[in-house]
Amino acid sequence: MPRRQLVQLLTVALLLAAPAEPQPPSAMDVQDPHATFDVATIRPSDDKDDNRYFVPLPGGNGYSVHRQDVRDMIALMHRVPDRQVTGGPEWLDSALWDIEAKSLTEQPYTLDELHIRFNNLLAERYHLKFHIEQREGPVYLLTVDKSGLKMKPNPAPEGHKILMACSGGGICHGNHIPMDYLCWFLGGELEAGKRPVLDRTGLTGAYDFDLTYAPDSPTENLPAELRDRPGIRDAAREQLGLHIETGRGPIDYYVIDHIERPSEN
């Protein structure tokens, strides 16, 4: 499965002369090192099929992972494009893994709580160590469009379900989407993820919405039924009330300092 489609499954400014402000740390970057899964198995994936997934368990107390490389795992946990995860040995991209990790609790975790536990699993079993470097570079800046916000606020507590449910061809339903998640999703869809999307909306809540758009590729390569749909930038403005513009800003790179192959169990 292409990385862009994987992002869909797990799912996705003020242009002034002043420099863009650094992004605050996410919940996944401020972790409790004692938050762990009770049971975790990690094995090399030897399946030949192209069925790749990384999904919460039905009870919301763990993750099921199939045929994923470690760079993608790190990128998904920190909601950044995989190109912002740098360094590491060659097998980081070539070796695929199957992981079942869960806690023996009946109380479901939020996605952020699951992410923290999975990050700790990577640190414990892969001996992963990394640091974050912030560099100035080309970005997309996301602001509320002058036409007004069209997404519906969802004040309910965060759950463990997949936030972005997308079918083929750019038809997506967002459920309880915070802005950092939406920026991550949009960054994967815009020009195949060449630029990250930085949040400059000032929105702090979570939102529900429907989004229908044509995939960001040359029109002649699209099926006929998709050609009349708006591109994702126009769709974001018309359907979500959000404006996307190119600019420059701070980009976080997750630089791998150390990693080892895990022992099987």
Side-chain angles (χ1 to χ4, degrees), residues 143-145 147-151 235-243:
T143 58
V144 177
D145 190 68
S147 63
L149 191 67
K150 298 178 175 63
M151 300 186 296
R237 184 182 70 254
E238 296 166 3
Q239 301 168 32
L240 307 184
L242 297 174
H243 180 70

Side-chain angles (χ1 to χ4, degrees), residues 1-8 52 69 71-72 82 93:
M1 176 182 296
R3 297 181 194 274
R4 180 171 172 177
Q5 289 178 268
L6 177 62
V7 168
Q8 290 184 334
R52 303 179 65 181
D69 63 69
R71 195 180 306 277
D72 270 348
D82 58 6
D93 301 291

Side-chain angles (χ1 to χ4, degrees), residues 84-202:
Q84 288 174 224
V85 180
T86 65
E90 180 276 334
W91 62 262
L92 201 72
D93 301 291
S94 60
L96 302 180
W97 305 90
D98 294 341
I99 300 175
E100 294 289 323
K102 65 180 180 179
S103 294
L104 304 178
T105 176
E106 296 181 359
Q107 180 66 34
Y109 295 121
T110 67
L111 280 178
D112 279 353
E113 289 170 338
L114 286 175
H115 285 185
I116 289 170
R117 283 163 172 76
F118 199 89
N119 278 334
N120 288 340
L121 177 66
L122 294 178
E124 177 186 353
R125 298 290 297 279
Y126 289 84
H127 301 285
L128 172 64
K129 296 180 181 178
F130 64 88
H131 68 278
I132 300 175
E133 294 181 2
Q134 196 171 83
R135 309 169 193 167
E136 187 83 3
V139 300
Y140 288 108
L141 299 169
L142 186 70
T143 58
V144 177
D145 190 68
K146 61 183 180 181
S147 63
L149 191 67
K150 298 178 175 63
M151 300 186 296
K152 180 182 178 181
N154 183 341
E158 180 188 355
H160 68 275
K161 296 181 180 179
I162 295 175
L163 302 183
M164 204 74 161
C166 297
S167 61
I171 301 176
C172 297
H173 173 71
N175 174 58
H176 204 276
I177 303 292
M179 296 311 298
D180 65 336
Y181 191 103
L182 181 57
C183 286
W184 172 66
F185 172 80
L186 292 172
E189 294 299 293
L190 284 158
E191 297 181 11
K194 293 180 181 179
R195 298 174 181 236
V197 177
L198 301 187
D199 178 23
R200 294 293 183 267
T201 64

